[in-house]
Amino acid sequence: MDWVALVLLWGAALSRVGAARTSLAQRMLWGAFTALAVSRVFSAPPVVAWLDSTTGMEWATLGRHVTGLLSATCLLAYVEVISRAARGSSRARWIWPSLAAAVAFLVVMFTVRGGRIYWVDGATGAGETALSGRLYLLGFDGWLMVCLAAAGWMFASYARVAPGLLRVGLVVSAAAMAAGVVNRAHVLAVNAANLLRPGWGVVEWGLLGRVTFLACVAGIVVGTSIPAWHAVRARARTLGVLRELRPVWAAIVAQYPDIAFRVRGSLDARLARRVLEIRDGMLSLTAAVPPPGDGDPRQVAAWLHRALRAARAGSGSGVPSGRIPGPSGSGIEEETRWLRQVAREFKHTPAEGRVRLVS
């Protein structure tokens, strides 16, 4: 199970390197997977044995716990970012200061105990945790539970308002957080019981820990990959629309180069600008040839070809009519749908009716 978890975590981390460069949400998700993958490396028996024997202190355990805390915090920050628009406000102010306080607590306890967590006061291994070391573990598990529970609640809350495919990913992610809470609650309960009543000798149930950990890792990898796939599909759709509108846009900008903003931005911003530039160009073309009386895409496409030919022949020096064909009083989405129809008709206009795209 540990090897399966490592493969899933490193695969998820490496697959998000590119997206992490431009997206805060993906940067947080990349940080969560990378930190958890490093945490599992610190859990590998050869790594633990080598570090412990070389340094005489439990650096591997401290490293595992600190990277585990960082992973949970990055995951909480990720869901806070993606759900921020739906809430209309940020709830991230407490996340990073709390992480700093939790890590400081672990480091102070580790230092006070002489670089040891388990092997103190007669304990000789992880299965014989010293009683005073359980305070350290209670702080670690408590913070993990807070992060996982908060992330699960935010995943589930956002799922109520998210679109269909994204909602599935959020529900899977919330279930993964529930498995993580069970995993840490089990360990916390064992440590608390042994701290209060050492004579009970309560031990962890290894199978429960492994199954819930793997369910948490697999669930969050799958759950967060669905929104990523949704984002990839949305990006592909936007690129497709930009390609559809390009023939009309290129023909208009060739005649009126000043209407192009020439400003970089997101794909959505580029699409909105392209729609506005086409509409602005249509307004200028009304000075060359009066527009059709309705917004039939075929008639508008034919008018565009006629108006562009007239404008390039020197017509159109007058005042635009102030009226351009198309849906009136509509939003950008409806105008985009209409312009896509016009662009298809513009592209398939018979050869004798076309304008040359290069003057």
Side-chain angles (χ1 to χ4, degrees), residues 147-218:
C147 283
L148 295 173
W153 177 78
M154 292 175 73
F155 274 125
S157 298
Y158 187 36
R160 293 182 298 179
V161 297
L165 186 61
L166 180 58
R167 181 178 302 171
V168 174
L170 293 168
V171 169
V172 172
S173 298
M177 295 299 95
V181 170
V182 171
N183 179 279
R184 302 324 306 173
H186 163 244
V187 177
L188 188 146
V190 170
N191 284 323
N194 283 288
L195 182 65
L196 296 174
R197 293 290 183 88
W200 285 353
V202 180
V203 296
E204 296 177 19
W205 187 12
L207 180 61
L208 176 63
R210 290 191 295 272
V211 169
T212 53
F213 175 75
L214 185 59
C216 179
V217 170

Side-chain angles (χ1 to χ4, degrees), residues 2-334:
D2 287 339
W3 282 109
V4 172
L6 269 176
V7 170
L8 288 173
L9 290 169
W10 281 117
L14 293 174
S15 68
R16 285 170 171 80
V17 171
R21 296 174 182 174
T22 57
S23 168
L24 175 60
Q26 291 301 312
R27 199 150 48 242
M28 292 297 97
L29 197 56
W30 171 82
F33 286 128
T34 302
L36 190 54
V38 173
S39 176
R40 300 319 297 171
V41 170
F42 277 124
S43 302
V47 175
V48 175
W50 178 77
L51 275 177
D52 289 350
S53 62
T54 302
T55 64
M57 293 187 290
E58 296 179 69
W59 284 108
T61 303
L62 181 64
R64 180 174 77 246
H65 290 163
V66 170
T67 51
L69 288 177
L70 178 60
S71 173
T73 306
C74 285
L75 186 60
L76 180 57
Y78 161 75
V79 66
E80 193 279 331
V81 170
I82 65 171
S83 61
R84 186 179 299 171
R87 295 192 317 271
S89 62
S90 173
R91 297 179 181 175
R93 295 179 180 176
W94 64 276
I95 296 176
W96 300 108
S98 299
L99 170 66
V103 171
F105 171 77
L106 297 188
V107 171
V108 168
M109 289 290 293
F110 182 79
T111 303
V112 168
R113 294 170 54 76
R116 305 295 179 92
I117 298 169
Y118 295 111
W119 305 340
V120 171
D121 305 332
T124 58
E128 301 175 353
T129 309
L131 296 181
S132 55
R134 295 187 188 278
L135 289 174
Y136 168 102
L137 297 174
L138 286 174
F140 167 70
D141 290 321
W143 173 246
L144 273 186
M145 285 187 62
V146 168
C147 283
L148 295 173
W153 177 78
M154 292 175 73
F155 274 125
S157 298
Y158 187 36
R160 293 182 298 179
V161 297
L165 186 61
L166 180 58
R167 181 178 302 171
V168 174
L170 293 168
V171 169
V172 172
S173 298
M177 295 299 95
V181 170
V182 171
N183 179 279
R184 302 324 306 173
H186 163 244
V187 177
L188 188 146
V190 170
N191 284 323
N194 283 288
L195 182 65
L196 296 174
R197 293 290 183 88
W200 285 353
V202 180
V203 296
E204 296 177 19
W205 187 12
L207 180 61
L208 176 63
R210 290 191 295 272
V211 169
T212 53
F213 175 75
L214 185 59
C216 179
V217 170
I220 197 60
V221 169
V222 172
T224 55
S225 295
I226 292 176
W229 184 51
H230 181 271
V232 169
R233 286 182 59 194
R235 180 181 178 85
R237 284 195 300 269
T238 304
L239 285 171
V241 175
L242 284 169
R243 283 193 296 268
E244 278 188 289
L245 297 180
R246 182 170 180 78
V248 173
W249 175 83
I252 291 176
V253 169
Q255 179 62 30
Y256 304 111
D258 291 341
I259 68 172
F261 288 105
R262 310 292 186 189
V263 178
R264 283 190 167 189
S266 66
L267 278 181
D268 290 336
R270 285 174 56 191
L271 178 57
R273 284 203 307 270
R274 182 153 297 183
V275 170
L276 293 174
E277 288 165 358
I278 292 173
R279 300 293 273 161
D280 191 15
M282 283 182 170
L283 178 61
S284 297
L285 286 173
T286 60
V289 176
D294 59 38
D296 178 75
R298 182 172 297 179
Q299 293 186 27
V300 173
W303 167 74
L304 280 171
H305 281 291
R306 291 195 307 272
L308 284 166
R309 280 198 305 271
R312 292 179 184 184
S315 300
S317 57
V319 179
S321 69
R323 180 182 61 83
I324 53 178
S328 59
S330 58
I332 191 71
E333 293 182 0
E334 186 176 344

